[in-house]
């Protein structure tokens, strides 16, 4: 099954290998993809964590392995896998 870029551009940052997705068809052709509500993605890059600031609501940007950028708590480090809500693009507590 092949999809053109327009069919996945809104969800591309959530797509990883072997992720089960729902595909929307129109007249026998795939026109869109819906990922699961939550996906686990690896943090590729983010600022170092701040020691002692683990309970405040402060956030920092993190670039995930897919290129998606999400706001994460200060304690999240590169290499960690985080849960992201694909409806809102927000970090979810494990």
């Amino acid at each position: 099954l092949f999809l053109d870029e327009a069919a996945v551009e809104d969800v591309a940052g959530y797509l990883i290998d072997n992720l089960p997705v729902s595909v929307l068809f129109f007249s026998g052709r795939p026109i869109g993809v819906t990922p699961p509500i939550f996906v686990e993605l690896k943090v590729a890059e983010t600022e170092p964590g701040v020691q002692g600031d683990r309970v405040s609501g402060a956030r920092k940007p993190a670039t995930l392995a897919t290129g998606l950028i999400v706001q994460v708590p200060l304690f999240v480090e590169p290499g960690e896998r985080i849960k992201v809500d694909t409806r809102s693009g927000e970090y979810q507590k494990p």
Side-chain angles (χ1 to χ4, degrees), residues 12-52:
Y14 303 110
L15 301 179
I16 56 174
D17 290 344
N18 299 316
L19 180 72
V21 297
S22 296
V23 179
L24 177 63
F25 288 87
F26 180 74
S27 296
R29 297 188 57 210
I31 61 169
V33 174
T34 303
I37 294 173
F38 299 105
V39 294
E40 283 194 13
L41 300 170
K42 186 175 181 179
V43 176
E45 185 179 320
T46 190
E47 299 286 324
V50 177
Q51 191 66 22

Side-chain angles (χ1 to χ4, degrees), residues 71-86:
Q71 295 293 314
V72 298
L74 297 177
F75 60 83
V76 173
E77 298 290 336
E80 289 185 42
R81 295 184 66 78
I82 63 168
K83 187 171 165 181
V84 180
D85 186 327
T86 61

Side-chain angles (χ1 to χ4, degrees), residues 14 46 60-64 68-72 82 84 89-91:
Y14 303 110
T46 190
K60 63 182 181 178
T63 303
L64 306 181
L68 183 68
I69 298 174
V70 297
Q71 295 293 314
V72 298
I82 63 168
V84 180
E90 294 180 355
Y91 167 87

